[in-house]
Amino acid sequence: MSVSLLEASDLTRNYQLDAAPVAALRGVSLKVERGDFIALTGPSGCGKSTLLQICGAMDRADGGELRLDGLEVKSLNDAALTRLRREKIGFVFQFFNLLPTLSVRENIAMPLLLAKTPEPDAFERAALLADRVGIAHRLDHLPAQISGGEAQRAALARAVIHRPGLLIADEPTGSLDSTNGRRVLNLLQELNQELGVAVLMATHDAGVASAAGKILAMKDGRMVEPA
Ligand SMILES: Nc1ncnc2c1ncn2[C@@H]1O[C@H](COP(=O)(O)OP(=O)(O)OP(=O)(O)O)[C@@H](O)[C@H]1O
Ligand SMILES: [Mg+2]
């Protein structure tokens, strides 16, 4: 049997604030297989973003185990973890997080440029993906010069340009109107199917979650049965 793309067991994460520590994750386990589309639901503050940041190697758990593509994350130093994140994972956030001084083309190409892909090749693939998500006519614009829906589609193109196995999306439709949210959700589904990229998406919107193949629910830092 092939190894899971992501396998987490009993993850814990405590945030240390001055007086009161916050137990954001209290023992969370999950598996993501290649090609999955999983929605992570639960009320505000239940730990969704904390879990996604750990699963995406942007943060480390305090306890438990996390394997990405079979690699035990605890055994990796920060440089190795950064490399793994850049090569194998794509991210989409609620507020797009495009770099404001770079063009849409440069933003989309950034994961390839960071991996030292020659600029003409990176820009060619950025243009292909921009076309795929319907923003080919916005490549020379700055992020401030495009709409929210266009910005999130640019962020989607950026998230998959380096062909990651796992795409992590934290409330990707959370700051869009319903039409643009639906469009981004459809694109997520299509990219999941066309590219085979597994998607792990946090949302508190049941309609958005229903687009996923599988729904997980959290409450108070733990997995619970979906409602
Ligand atoms: N950097 C931090 N320092 C201290 N506490 C934090 C930090 N980040 C999150 N928390 C706390 O950890 C808990 C989980 O937060 P998290 O952001 O993971 O929730 P969430 O499910 O993503 O919520 P939302 O739906 O509002 O985005 C909350 O109680 C939150 O206040
Ligand atoms: Mg969150």
Side-chain angles (χ1 to χ4, degrees), residues 164-215:
L166 177 62
L167 173 57
I168 291 187
D170 196 351
E171 301 278 2
T173 62
S175 52
L176 300 176
D177 62 47
S178 61
T179 306
N180 279 298
R182 171 50 57 186
R183 191 157 180 194
V184 161
L185 196 56
N186 287 345
L187 274 171
L188 267 172
Q189 284 179 310
E190 289 165 16
L191 294 171
N192 167 247
Q193 283 158 18
E194 285 167 24
L195 309 177
V197 59
V199 178
L200 180 58
M201 170 184 74
T203 179
H204 57 254
D205 181 326
V208 171
S210 67
K214 184 176 175 187
I215 298 181

mmCIF file of all heavy atoms in Angstrom, residues 164-215:
data_model
loop_
_atom_site.group_PDB
_atom_site.id
_atom_site.type_symbol
_atom_site.label_atom_id
_atom_site.label_comp_id
_atom_site.label_asym_id
_atom_site.label_seq_id
_atom_site.Cartn_x
_atom_site.Cartn_y
_atom_site.Cartn_z
ATOM 1 N N PRO A 164 1.977 21.051 -6.594
ATOM 2 C CA PRO A 164 2.066 20.449 -5.265
ATOM 3 C C PRO A 164 1.123 19.249 -5.161
ATOM 4 O O PRO A 164 0.135 19.165 -5.900
ATOM 5 C CB PRO A 164 1.592 21.580 -4.344
ATOM 6 C CG PRO A 164 0.617 22.336 -5.192
ATOM 7 C CD PRO A 164 1.183 22.286 -6.595
ATOM 8 N N GLY A 165 1.413 18.342 -4.245
ATOM 9 C CA GLY A 165 0.509 17.225 -4.009
ATOM 10 C C GLY A 165 -0.662 17.635 -3.137
ATOM 11 O O GLY A 165 -1.728 17.023 -3.176
ATOM 12 N N LEU A 166 -0.444 18.692 -2.332
ATOM 13 C CA LEU A 166 -1.447 19.104 -1.350
ATOM 14 C C LEU A 166 -1.702 20.603 -1.449
ATOM 15 O O LEU A 166 -0.761 21.401 -1.439
ATOM 16 C CB LEU A 166 -0.938 18.760 0.067
ATOM 17 C CG LEU A 166 -1.812 19.187 1.240
ATOM 18 C CD1 LEU A 166 -3.170 18.493 1.192
ATOM 19 C CD2 LEU A 166 -1.115 18.879 2.564
ATOM 20 N N LEU A 167 -2.976 20.959 -1.538
ATOM 21 C CA LEU A 167 -3.381 22.363 -1.542
ATOM 22 C C LEU A 167 -4.164 22.630 -0.267
ATOM 23 O O LEU A 167 -5.175 21.973 -0.004
ATOM 24 C CB LEU A 167 -4.245 22.646 -2.779
ATOM 25 C CG LEU A 167 -4.909 24.014 -2.878
ATOM 26 C CD1 LEU A 167 -3.890 25.129 -2.818
ATOM 27 C CD2 LEU A 167 -5.680 24.109 -4.177
ATOM 28 N N ILE A 168 -3.684 23.583 0.523
ATOM 29 C CA ILE A 168 -4.346 23.935 1.766
ATOM 30 C C ILE A 168 -5.049 25.264 1.576
ATOM 31 O O ILE A 168 -4.430 26.244 1.142
ATOM 32 C CB ILE A 168 -3.315 23.991 2.904
ATOM 33 C CG1 ILE A 168 -2.851 22.568 3.170
ATOM 34 C CG2 ILE A 168 -3.900 24.657 4.146
ATOM 35 C CD1 ILE A 168 -1.965 22.407 4.358
ATOM 36 N N ALA A 169 -6.341 25.287 1.856
ATOM 37 C CA ALA A 169 -7.134 26.486 1.620
ATOM 38 C C ALA A 169 -7.875 26.845 2.900
ATOM 39 O O ALA A 169 -8.665 26.048 3.405
ATOM 40 C CB ALA A 169 -8.120 26.236 0.482
ATOM 41 N N ASP A 170 -7.590 28.033 3.441
ATOM 42 C CA ASP A 170 -8.214 28.454 4.691
ATOM 43 C C ASP A 170 -9.281 29.501 4.385
ATOM 44 O O ASP A 170 -8.961 30.648 4.081
ATOM 45 C CB ASP A 170 -7.145 29.025 5.641
ATOM 46 C CG ASP A 170 -7.654 29.123 7.069
ATOM 47 O OD1 ASP A 170 -8.869 28.916 7.296
ATOM 48 O OD2 ASP A 170 -6.837 29.408 7.964
ATOM 49 N N GLU A 171 -10.538 29.105 4.448
ATOM 50 C CA GLU A 171 -11.673 29.974 4.123
ATOM 51 C C GLU A 171 -11.474 30.672 2.771
ATOM 52 O O GLU A 171 -11.543 31.905 2.678
ATOM 53 C CB GLU A 171 -11.860 31.041 5.214
ATOM 54 C CG GLU A 171 -12.098 30.494 6.607
ATOM 55 C CD GLU A 171 -13.548 30.093 6.868
ATOM 56 O OE1 GLU A 171 -14.390 30.213 5.943
ATOM 57 O OE2 GLU A 171 -13.826 29.639 7.982
ATOM 58 N N PRO A 172 -11.251 29.899 1.698
ATOM 59 C CA PRO A 172 -10.900 30.523 0.416
ATOM 60 C C PRO A 172 -12.026 31.359 -0.185
ATOM 61 O O PRO A 172 -11.775 32.198 -1.038
ATOM 62 C CB PRO A 172 -10.578 29.324 -0.481
ATOM 63 C CG PRO A 172 -11.351 28.189 0.104
ATOM 64 C CD PRO A 172 -11.328 28.423 1.593
ATOM 65 N N THR A 173 -13.258 31.117 0.266
ATOM 66 C CA THR A 173 -14.377 31.899 -0.269
ATOM 67 C C THR A 173 -14.893 32.899 0.762
ATOM 68 O O THR A 173 -15.869 33.595 0.520
ATOM 69 C CB THR A 173 -15.544 30.968 -0.682
ATOM 70 O OG1 THR A 173 -16.010 30.279 0.493
ATOM 71 C CG2 THR A 173 -15.098 29.925 -1.700
ATOM 72 N N GLY A 174 -14.195 32.977 1.900
ATOM 73 C CA GLY A 174 -14.703 33.740 3.048
ATOM 74 C C GLY A 174 -14.848 35.226 2.827
ATOM 75 O O GLY A 174 -15.643 35.873 3.509
ATOM 76 N N SER A 175 -14.072 35.807 1.895
ATOM 77 C CA SER A 175 -14.227 37.249 1.686
ATOM 78 C C SER A 175 -14.760 37.565 0.293
ATOM 79 O O SER A 175 -14.557 38.663 -0.212
ATOM 80 C CB SER A 175 -12.896 37.968 1.943
ATOM 81 O OG SER A 175 -11.869 37.381 1.210
ATOM 82 N N LEU A 176 -15.453 36.569 -0.312
ATOM 83 C CA LEU A 176 -16.011 36.789 -1.650
ATOM 84 C C LEU A 176 -17.536 36.764 -1.605
ATOM 85 O O LEU A 176 -18.127 36.111 -0.739
ATOM 86 C CB LEU A 176 -15.521 35.690 -2.604
ATOM 87 C CG LEU A 176 -14.001 35.586 -2.788
ATOM 88 C CD1 LEU A 176 -13.656 34.398 -3.684
ATOM 89 C CD2 LEU A 176 -13.434 36.870 -3.374
ATOM 90 N N ASP A 177 -18.172 37.457 -2.552
ATOM 91 C CA ASP A 177 -19.628 37.348 -2.658
ATOM 92 C C ASP A 177 -19.969 35.953 -3.181
ATOM 93 O O ASP A 177 -19.086 35.206 -3.590
ATOM 94 C CB ASP A 177 -20.208 38.449 -3.558
ATOM 95 C CG ASP A 177 -19.684 38.366 -4.982
ATOM 96 O OD1 ASP A 177 -19.665 37.256 -5.559
ATOM 97 O OD2 ASP A 177 -19.274 39.408 -5.524
ATOM 98 N N SER A 178 -21.268 35.605 -3.172
ATOM 99 C CA SER A 178 -21.611 34.211 -3.454
ATOM 100 C C SER A 178 -21.243 33.799 -4.882
ATOM 101 O O SER A 178 -20.803 32.674 -5.112
ATOM 102 C CB SER A 178 -23.094 33.961 -3.170
ATOM 103 O OG SER A 178 -23.873 34.780 -3.991
ATOM 104 N N THR A 179 -21.369 34.721 -5.851
ATOM 105 C CA THR A 179 -21.028 34.373 -7.240
ATOM 106 C C THR A 179 -19.541 34.072 -7.374
ATOM 107 O O THR A 179 -19.143 33.050 -7.951
ATOM 108 C CB THR A 179 -21.398 35.533 -8.190
ATOM 109 O OG1 THR A 179 -22.768 35.841 -7.979
ATOM 110 C CG2 THR A 179 -21.161 35.151 -9.641
ATOM 111 N N ASN A 180 -18.718 34.949 -6.822
ATOM 112 C CA ASN A 180 -17.272 34.728 -6.904
ATOM 113 C C ASN A 180 -16.829 33.563 -6.040
ATOM 114 O O ASN A 180 -15.896 32.836 -6.393
ATOM 115 C CB ASN A 180 -16.519 36.007 -6.521
ATOM 116 C CG ASN A 180 -16.448 36.975 -7.680
ATOM 117 O OD1 ASN A 180 -15.876 36.658 -8.717
ATOM 118 N ND2 ASN A 180 -17.065 38.128 -7.522
ATOM 119 N N GLY A 181 -17.502 33.386 -4.907
ATOM 120 C CA GLY A 181 -17.190 32.246 -4.055
ATOM 121 C C GLY A 181 -17.458 30.935 -4.779
ATOM 122 O O GLY A 181 -16.648 30.008 -4.759
ATOM 123 N N ARG A 182 -18.583 30.887 -5.462
ATOM 124 C CA ARG A 182 -18.950 29.680 -6.217
ATOM 125 C C ARG A 182 -17.933 29.414 -7.327
ATOM 126 O O ARG A 182 -17.509 28.292 -7.552
ATOM 127 C CB ARG A 182 -20.373 29.882 -6.776
ATOM 128 C CG ARG A 182 -20.908 28.880 -7.771
ATOM 129 C CD ARG A 182 -20.781 27.428 -7.385
ATOM 130 N NE ARG A 182 -21.420 27.077 -6.118
ATOM 131 C CZ ARG A 182 -21.331 25.875 -5.539
ATOM 132 N NH1 ARG A 182 -20.632 24.903 -6.121
ATOM 133 N NH2 ARG A 182 -21.915 25.636 -4.389
ATOM 134 N N ARG A 183 -17.484 30.473 -7.969
ATOM 135 C CA ARG A 183 -16.525 30.329 -9.066
ATOM 136 C C ARG A 183 -15.185 29.776 -8.541
ATOM 137 O O ARG A 183 -14.581 28.896 -9.155
ATOM 138 C CB ARG A 183 -16.318 31.697 -9.713
ATOM 139 C CG ARG A 183 -15.573 31.604 -10.997
ATOM 140 C CD ARG A 183 -15.839 32.802 -11.892
ATOM 141 N NE ARG A 183 -15.065 32.611 -13.123
ATOM 142 C CZ ARG A 183 -14.838 33.565 -14.005
ATOM 143 N NH1 ARG A 183 -15.340 34.757 -13.821
ATOM 144 N NH2 ARG A 183 -14.124 33.310 -15.084
ATOM 145 N N VAL A 184 -14.737 30.300 -7.408
ATOM 146 C CA VAL A 184 -13.481 29.824 -6.813
ATOM 147 C C VAL A 184 -13.633 28.366 -6.367
ATOM 148 O O VAL A 184 -12.740 27.538 -6.563
ATOM 149 C CB VAL A 184 -13.067 30.747 -5.642
ATOM 150 C CG1 VAL A 184 -12.068 30.068 -4.719
ATOM 151 C CG2 VAL A 184 -12.468 32.038 -6.197
ATOM 152 N N LEU A 185 -14.793 28.053 -5.808
ATOM 153 C CA LEU A 185 -15.041 26.680 -5.355
ATOM 154 C C LEU A 185 -15.051 25.710 -6.548
ATOM 155 O O LEU A 185 -14.466 24.615 -6.476
ATOM 156 C CB LEU A 185 -16.384 26.650 -4.629
ATOM 157 C CG LEU A 185 -16.684 25.443 -3.761
ATOM 158 C CD1 LEU A 185 -15.597 25.253 -2.716
ATOM 159 C CD2 LEU A 185 -18.038 25.612 -3.079
ATOM 160 N N ASN A 186 -15.698 26.121 -7.646
ATOM 161 C CA ASN A 186 -15.699 25.278 -8.845
ATOM 162 C C ASN A 186 -14.281 25.056 -9.350
ATOM 163 O O ASN A 186 -13.913 23.942 -9.741
ATOM 164 C CB ASN A 186 -16.531 25.921 -9.962
ATOM 165 C CG ASN A 186 -18.022 25.832 -9.668
ATOM 166 O OD1 ASN A 186 -18.442 25.067 -8.798
ATOM 167 N ND2 ASN A 186 -18.812 26.635 -10.368
ATOM 168 N N LEU A 187 -13.479 26.125 -9.339
ATOM 169 C CA LEU A 187 -12.086 25.991 -9.793
ATOM 170 C C LEU A 187 -11.301 25.043 -8.895
ATOM 171 O O LEU A 187 -10.507 24.235 -9.373
ATOM 172 C CB LEU A 187 -11.410 27.361 -9.817
ATOM 173 C CG LEU A 187 -11.600 28.161 -11.095
ATOM 174 C CD1 LEU A 187 -11.078 29.581 -10.904
ATOM 175 C CD2 LEU A 187 -10.889 27.499 -12.275
ATOM 176 N N LEU A 188 -11.539 25.144 -7.591
ATOM 177 C CA LEU A 188 -10.863 24.230 -6.664
ATOM 178 C C LEU A 188 -11.200 22.783 -7.015
ATOM 179 O O LEU A 188 -10.318 21.918 -7.053
ATOM 180 C CB LEU A 188 -11.303 24.513 -5.227
ATOM 181 C CG LEU A 188 -10.458 25.485 -4.411
ATOM 182 C CD1 LEU A 188 -11.165 25.794 -3.097
ATOM 183 C CD2 LEU A 188 -9.066 24.936 -4.138
ATOM 184 N N GLN A 189 -12.492 22.536 -7.262
ATOM 185 C CA GLN A 189 -12.910 21.175 -7.625
ATOM 186 C C GLN A 189 -12.261 20.731 -8.922
ATOM 187 O O GLN A 189 -11.797 19.598 -9.049
ATOM 188 C CB GLN A 189 -14.436 21.124 -7.805
ATOM 189 C CG GLN A 189 -15.202 21.119 -6.505
ATOM 190 C CD GLN A 189 -16.704 21.098 -6.761
ATOM 191 O OE1 GLN A 189 -17.222 21.901 -7.542
ATOM 192 N NE2 GLN A 189 -17.406 20.193 -6.112
ATOM 193 N N GLU A 190 -12.216 21.632 -9.911
ATOM 194 C CA GLU A 190 -11.646 21.263 -11.209
ATOM 195 C C GLU A 190 -10.149 20.999 -11.106
ATOM 196 O O GLU A 190 -9.641 20.045 -11.679
ATOM 197 C CB GLU A 190 -11.926 22.374 -12.228
ATOM 198 C CG GLU A 190 -13.402 22.446 -12.622
ATOM 199 C CD GLU A 190 -13.755 23.746 -13.334
ATOM 200 O OE1 GLU A 190 -12.821 24.454 -13.787
ATOM 201 O OE2 GLU A 190 -14.945 24.066 -13.421
ATOM 202 N N LEU A 191 -9.441 21.856 -10.362
ATOM 203 C CA LEU A 191 -7.991 21.667 -10.221
ATOM 204 C C LEU A 191 -7.708 20.368 -9.460
ATOM 205 O O LEU A 191 -6.770 19.636 -9.771
ATOM 206 C CB LEU A 191 -7.356 22.867 -9.508
ATOM 207 C CG LEU A 191 -7.408 24.183 -10.291
ATOM 208 C CD1 LEU A 191 -6.964 25.359 -9.429
ATOM 209 C CD2 LEU A 191 -6.542 24.107 -11.553
ATOM 210 N N ASN A 192 -8.543 20.093 -8.470
ATOM 211 C CA ASN A 192 -8.429 18.836 -7.724
ATOM 212 C C ASN A 192 -8.536 17.649 -8.679
ATOM 213 O O ASN A 192 -7.729 16.714 -8.631
ATOM 214 C CB ASN A 192 -9.536 18.809 -6.654
ATOM 215 C CG ASN A 192 -9.741 17.448 -6.018
ATOM 216 O OD1 ASN A 192 -10.775 16.827 -6.202
ATOM 217 N ND2 ASN A 192 -8.753 16.995 -5.271
ATOM 218 N N GLN A 193 -9.512 17.709 -9.584
ATOM 219 C CA GLN A 193 -9.712 16.581 -10.494
ATOM 220 C C GLN A 193 -8.699 16.549 -11.638
ATOM 221 O O GLN A 193 -8.152 15.507 -11.964
ATOM 222 C CB GLN A 193 -11.145 16.613 -11.042
ATOM 223 C CG GLN A 193 -12.131 16.093 -9.994
ATOM 224 C CD GLN A 193 -13.563 16.562 -10.222
ATOM 225 O OE1 GLN A 193 -13.902 16.988 -11.326
ATOM 226 N NE2 GLN A 193 -14.394 16.495 -9.205
ATOM 227 N N GLU A 194 -8.421 17.724 -12.217
ATOM 228 C CA GLU A 194 -7.513 17.756 -13.379
ATOM 229 C C GLU A 194 -6.071 17.481 -12.997
ATOM 230 O O GLU A 194 -5.351 16.790 -13.700
ATOM 231 C CB GLU A 194 -7.562 19.132 -14.051
ATOM 232 C CG GLU A 194 -8.809 19.374 -14.857
ATOM 233 C CD GLU A 194 -8.937 20.855 -15.224
ATOM 234 O OE1 GLU A 194 -7.913 21.562 -15.273
ATOM 235 O OE2 GLU A 194 -10.074 21.296 -15.448
ATOM 236 N N LEU A 195 -5.633 18.091 -11.906
ATOM 237 C CA LEU A 195 -4.216 17.987 -11.522
ATOM 238 C C LEU A 195 -3.989 16.888 -10.498
ATOM 239 O O LEU A 195 -2.853 16.558 -10.170
ATOM 240 C CB LEU A 195 -3.703 19.315 -10.949
ATOM 241 C CG LEU A 195 -3.945 20.578 -11.776
ATOM 242 C CD1 LEU A 195 -3.448 21.815 -11.040
ATOM 243 C CD2 LEU A 195 -3.240 20.467 -13.131
ATOM 244 N N GLY A 196 -5.075 16.363 -9.923
ATOM 245 C CA GLY A 196 -4.935 15.331 -8.901
ATOM 246 C C GLY A 196 -4.399 15.868 -7.586
ATOM 247 O O GLY A 196 -3.964 15.110 -6.731
ATOM 248 N N VAL A 197 -4.425 17.197 -7.422
ATOM 249 C CA VAL A 197 -3.925 17.780 -6.178
ATOM 250 C C VAL A 197 -4.963 17.563 -5.072
ATOM 251 O O VAL A 197 -6.159 17.780 -5.279
ATOM 252 C CB VAL A 197 -3.594 19.289 -6.370
ATOM 253 C CG1 VAL A 197 -4.804 20.088 -6.818
ATOM 254 C CG2 VAL A 197 -3.026 19.897 -5.082
ATOM 255 N N ALA A 198 -4.508 17.084 -3.923
ATOM 256 C CA ALA A 198 -5.426 16.909 -2.794
ATOM 257 C C ALA A 198 -5.708 18.280 -2.186
ATOM 258 O O ALA A 198 -4.813 19.116 -2.091
ATOM 259 C CB ALA A 198 -4.798 15.999 -1.746
ATOM 260 N N VAL A 199 -6.968 18.507 -1.801
ATOM 261 C CA VAL A 199 -7.354 19.791 -1.222
ATOM 262 C C VAL A 199 -7.831 19.578 0.213
ATOM 263 O O VAL A 199 -8.659 18.694 0.471
ATOM 264 C CB VAL A 199 -8.484 20.460 -2.051
ATOM 265 C CG1 VAL A 199 -8.908 21.781 -1.415
ATOM 266 C CG2 VAL A 199 -8.038 20.675 -3.494
ATOM 267 N N LEU A 200 -7.284 20.360 1.125
ATOM 268 C CA LEU A 200 -7.739 20.384 2.513
ATOM 269 C C LEU A 200 -8.190 21.814 2.783
ATOM 270 O O LEU A 200 -7.376 22.727 2.810
ATOM 271 C CB LEU A 200 -6.587 19.976 3.446
ATOM 272 C CG LEU A 200 -6.876 19.936 4.942
ATOM 273 C CD1 LEU A 200 -8.020 18.995 5.273
ATOM 274 C CD2 LEU A 200 -5.612 19.533 5.713
ATOM 275 N N MET A 201 -9.508 21.995 2.937
ATOM 276 C CA MET A 201 -10.095 23.339 2.947
ATOM 277 C C MET A 201 -10.906 23.594 4.214
ATOM 278 O O MET A 201 -11.824 22.846 4.518
ATOM 279 C CB MET A 201 -11.023 23.466 1.721
ATOM 280 C CG MET A 201 -11.891 24.700 1.704
ATOM 281 S SD MET A 201 -13.043 24.720 0.296
ATOM 282 C CE MET A 201 -14.241 23.475 0.818
ATOM 283 N N ALA A 202 -10.559 24.649 4.934
ATOM 284 C CA ALA A 202 -11.366 25.027 6.096
ATOM 285 C C ALA A 202 -12.481 25.958 5.660
ATOM 286 O O ALA A 202 -12.268 26.853 4.840
ATOM 287 C CB ALA A 202 -10.504 25.737 7.136
ATOM 288 N N THR A 203 -13.657 25.733 6.202
ATOM 289 C CA THR A 203 -14.777 26.633 5.933
ATOM 290 C C THR A 203 -15.804 26.493 7.055
ATOM 291 O O THR A 203 -15.945 25.429 7.648
ATOM 292 C CB THR A 203 -15.454 26.315 4.587
ATOM 293 O OG1 THR A 203 -16.558 27.219 4.417
ATOM 294 C CG2 THR A 203 -15.992 24.893 4.524
ATOM 295 N N HIS A 204 -16.507 27.600 7.364
ATOM 296 C CA HIS A 204 -17.607 27.450 8.323
ATOM 297 C C HIS A 204 -18.948 27.500 7.598
ATOM 298 O O HIS A 204 -20.005 27.532 8.224
ATOM 299 C CB HIS A 204 -17.510 28.515 9.428
ATOM 300 C CG HIS A 204 -17.506 29.902 8.898
ATOM 301 N ND1 HIS A 204 -16.384 30.681 8.865
ATOM 302 C CD2 HIS A 204 -18.483 30.627 8.348
ATOM 303 C CE1 HIS A 204 -16.676 31.835 8.316
ATOM 304 N NE2 HIS A 204 -17.955 31.822 7.990
ATOM 305 N N ASP A 205 -18.890 27.434 6.255
ATOM 306 C CA ASP A 205 -20.099 27.516 5.435
ATOM 307 C C ASP A 205 -20.478 26.106 4.959
ATOM 308 O O ASP A 205 -19.744 25.476 4.202
ATOM 309 C CB ASP A 205 -19.782 28.438 4.243
ATOM 310 C CG ASP A 205 -20.970 28.627 3.311
ATOM 311 O OD1 ASP A 205 -21.760 27.675 3.134
ATOM 312 O OD2 ASP A 205 -21.097 29.727 2.755
ATOM 313 N N ALA A 206 -21.629 25.626 5.413
ATOM 314 C CA ALA A 206 -22.027 24.250 5.100
ATOM 315 C C ALA A 206 -22.197 24.038 3.597
ATOM 316 O O ALA A 206 -21.897 22.959 3.071
ATOM 317 C CB ALA A 206 -23.328 23.906 5.824
ATOM 318 N N GLY A 207 -22.654 25.086 2.885
ATOM 319 C CA GLY A 207 -22.822 24.980 1.439
ATOM 320 C C GLY A 207 -21.484 24.778 0.744
ATOM 321 O O GLY A 207 -21.367 23.988 -0.196
ATOM 322 N N VAL A 208 -20.473 25.496 1.214
ATOM 323 C CA VAL A 208 -19.126 25.359 0.652
ATOM 324 C C VAL A 208 -18.572 23.968 0.970
ATOM 325 O O VAL A 208 -18.010 23.288 0.112
ATOM 326 C CB VAL A 208 -18.200 26.471 1.203
ATOM 327 C CG1 VAL A 208 -16.753 26.219 0.806
ATOM 328 C CG2 VAL A 208 -18.649 27.837 0.699
ATOM 329 N N ALA A 209 -18.775 23.539 2.211
ATOM 330 C CA ALA A 209 -18.250 22.230 2.622
ATOM 331 C C ALA A 209 -18.841 21.101 1.779
ATOM 332 O O ALA A 209 -18.168 20.106 1.496
ATOM 333 C CB ALA A 209 -18.546 21.995 4.107
ATOM 334 N N SER A 210 -20.107 21.271 1.359
ATOM 335 C CA SER A 210 -20.766 20.179 0.641
ATOM 336 C C SER A 210 -20.147 19.933 -0.737
ATOM 337 O O SER A 210 -20.422 18.916 -1.371
ATOM 338 C CB SER A 210 -22.275 20.450 0.510
ATOM 339 O OG SER A 210 -22.469 21.567 -0.331
ATOM 340 N N ALA A 211 -19.293 20.851 -1.201
ATOM 341 C CA ALA A 211 -18.600 20.638 -2.478
ATOM 342 C C ALA A 211 -17.481 19.613 -2.337
ATOM 343 O O ALA A 211 -16.985 19.085 -3.329
ATOM 344 C CB ALA A 211 -18.018 21.962 -2.984
ATOM 345 N N ALA A 212 -17.072 19.342 -1.098
ATOM 346 C CA ALA A 212 -15.947 18.429 -0.874
ATOM 347 C C ALA A 212 -16.406 16.983 -0.919
ATOM 348 O O ALA A 212 -17.588 16.671 -0.739
ATOM 349 C CB ALA A 212 -15.304 18.736 0.481
ATOM 350 N N GLY A 213 -15.462 16.086 -1.143
ATOM 351 C CA GLY A 213 -15.783 14.667 -1.160
ATOM 352 C C GLY A 213 -15.944 14.106 0.239
ATOM 353 O O GLY A 213 -16.580 13.061 0.441
ATOM 354 N N LYS A 214 -15.368 14.806 1.218
ATOM 355 C CA LYS A 214 -15.385 14.301 2.589
ATOM 356 C C LYS A 214 -15.434 15.507 3.532
ATOM 357 O O LYS A 214 -14.786 16.523 3.262
ATOM 358 C CB LYS A 214 -14.091 13.512 2.804
ATOM 359 C CG LYS A 214 -13.970 12.826 4.130
ATOM 360 C CD LYS A 214 -12.673 12.011 4.162
ATOM 361 C CE LYS A 214 -12.466 11.409 5.535
ATOM 362 N NZ LYS A 214 -11.148 10.770 5.655
ATOM 363 N N ILE A 215 -16.195 15.396 4.603
ATOM 364 C CA ILE A 215 -16.306 16.510 5.543
ATOM 365 C C ILE A 215 -15.813 16.074 6.917
ATOM 366 O O ILE A 215 -16.234 15.036 7.440
ATOM 367 C CB ILE A 215 -17.767 17.013 5.633
ATOM 368 C CG1 ILE A 215 -18.211 17.536 4.261
ATOM 369 C CG2 ILE A 215 -17.904 18.098 6.689
ATOM 370 C CD1 ILE A 215 -19.623 18.077 4.219
#
